Amino acid sequence: DNVLNENSTPIVHGDKVYVFSDEGFISNLPAYMHILDKQTGNLLQKVKLPYQVSGTPVFKGNRLYLPAKNLYEIDLENIEILWKLEANGVGTPSVSNGKLVVNAIPSGQTVSSELFCVDMNSKSILWQLNTGTDTLWSPLIVQNVVFSNYDKGSSFAFSTNARLFALDLSSGDQLWYNEDVVIDHSPAYSNGHLFFRGHDLNGDGNTSENVGLLSMDANTGELLWLNP
């Protein structure tokens, strides 16, 4: 955009590349979605966004789920908004089995966040759960289980104090919650294990030995190992 205007990581979907730029901080330039031809790099369309992106946009078929303060469902054929979840901030959504799960700060709130599960056909909220302070975690769906974090808050700026939990995707019922491990970011999943950087509060010895890469049993929440 020929001015200082930060771009997030581009996303390739089909035969197009999507680049999302932030609002200009030395100008009144708004946030944009730039759509490029994947083969040539030519700009096909430039769409002004109502707010800058607050999480990673998710593509599913011909739909774009755009977190930009609110969560927007956008038809990629004509770039029309089909549905909106109103919020005061929203993170990266996760879509699976006809359901969308997203962590958001509800409208009118500034100090707490909620985990929402939305039926993608009816657009009705199936369940929601408080997730502590207003940190916009990225939930993870594996089959019929949702993994996310509850942030207990911290007195240190820009730090987190989160605990990992698992929910049933259909009902929102809690399957397990681990109070003894602090997680620094949303987990990754592979072969029945969750992986993340964190802190084992029950660890022995020096703190440096209790902080590092952790593996957790995704079925039970049991800590399996820690590599400092």
Side-chain angles (χ1 to χ4, degrees):
D1 293 312
N2 300 318
V3 297
L4 288 175
N5 190 34
E6 237 181 285
N7 292 330
S8 59
T9 303
I11 300 174
V12 179
H13 180 72
D15 58 358
K16 298 179 177 67
V17 179
Y18 296 80
V19 180
F20 301 86
S21 60
D22 290 344
E23 298 172 355
F25 63 90
I26 62 166
S27 70
N28 59 357
L29 193 72
Y32 285 108
M33 175 172 68
H34 306 75
I35 306 175
L36 312 179
D37 183 281
K38 186 172 71 172
Q39 298 301 322
T40 66
N42 293 335
L43 180 67
L44 301 175
Q45 194 171 357
K46 182 177 175 179
V47 182
K48 178 181 176 181
L49 302 179
Y51 304 97
Q52 67 183 33
V53 171
S54 55
T56 302
V58 171
F59 291 81
K60 199 79 169 176
N62 67 339
R63 298 287 188 266
L64 164 62
Y65 298 96
L66 178 69
K69 184 183 177 185
N70 305 301
L71 180 65
Y72 300 89
E73 181 184 30
I74 297 172
D75 187 331
L76 290 173
E77 296 295 327
N78 48 33
I79 313 298
E80 286 188 359
I81 296 174
L82 302 177
W83 167 79
K84 176 175 70 172
L85 175 68
E86 291 193 19
N88 197 35
V90 64
T92 300
S94 187
V95 181
S96 181
N97 299 321
K99 298 178 180 65
L100 180 146
V101 179
V102 67
N103 203 213
I105 303 170
S107 297
Q109 279 280 0
T110 56
V111 295
S112 66
S113 55
E114 301 270 335
L115 188 66
F116 292 87
C117 180
V118 179
D119 184 287
M120 294 314 301
N121 293 318
S122 66
K123 302 300 187 292
S124 59
I125 296 175
L126 300 176
W127 51 262
Q128 67 186 81
L129 178 77
N130 181 268
T131 51
T133 59
D134 58 355
T135 304
L136 297 177
W137 298 102
S138 302
L140 173 66
I141 301 176
V142 179
Q143 297 180 358
N144 196 44
V145 177
V146 180
F147 301 100
S148 189
N149 303 343
Y150 180 90
D151 199 320
K152 303 182 76 171
S154 172
S155 58
F156 299 99
F158 308 113
S159 64
T160 61
N161 188 16
R163 307 297 195 273
L164 190 59
F165 62 81
L167 304 175
D168 182 277
L169 175 61
S170 299
S171 65
D173 293 338
Q174 182 175 294
L175 302 175
W176 56 258
Y177 172 85
N178 193 318
E179 174 67 32
D180 298 325
V181 175
V182 176
I183 178 169
D184 292 346
H185 54 77
S186 300
Y189 173 89
S190 181
N191 296 326
H193 291 197
L194 296 168
F195 300 94
F196 53 90
R197 185 188 183 277
H199 181 194
D200 178 14
L201 298 179
N202 289 332
D204 297 326
N206 297 327
T207 300
S208 61
E209 295 297 316
N210 302 325
V211 175
L213 178 67
L214 291 86
S215 176
M216 183 177 284
D217 188 320
N219 295 305
T220 64
E222 177 190 359
L223 181 62
L224 301 175
W225 53 255
L226 185 154
N227 187 327

